[in-house]
Amino acid sequence: MIDVVMPQLGEDVSEGTVDKWLVREGDFVRKEQPLLEVATSKADTEIPSPTDGQVVEICAAVGAVVPKGGLLCRIDETKTG
């Protein structure tokens, strides 16, 4: 199981707001496929999948403010579509 966490989005940015999910629980994704859009005070960014697999849990709802390192979703890399 891979935990997808909020990356460091900028030198002075410590958190981001989940703006839009581009996948749903149960979807199969490929490495580097955009999973969600995150808004910060500086820019909007797409967060890519770190691996191939199945999205098994979305942990941050749209509108949630997530700190750097905070859990966004979980991907089961043993399940590929």
Side-chain angles (χ1 to χ4, degrees):
M1 196 72 62
I2 301 292
D3 288 347
V4 179
V5 299
M6 182 70 76
Q8 178 71 45
L9 296 170
E11 191 174 306
D12 299 331
V13 179
S14 62
E15 63 187 20
T17 302
V18 177
D19 193 38
K20 179 181 180 182
W21 279 98
L22 305 173
V23 297
R24 298 180 191 168
E25 287 183 2
D27 285 357
F28 290 95
V29 295
R30 295 278 179 210
K31 185 174 182 172
E32 299 300 324
Q33 177 182 335
L35 297 173
L36 69 153
E37 295 175 357
V38 173
T40 69
S41 58
K42 305 223 181 229
D44 294 348
T45 306
E46 288 183 341
I47 306 299
S49 175
T51 186
D52 293 348
Q54 184 178 30
V55 178
V56 294
E57 183 180 6
I58 290 179
C59 303
V62 170
V65 177
V66 181
K68 179 186 88 169
L71 186 60
L72 296 169
C73 69
R74 289 191 168 102
I75 297 174
D76 185 342
E77 76 280 11
T78 66
K79 297 181 181 178
T80 57

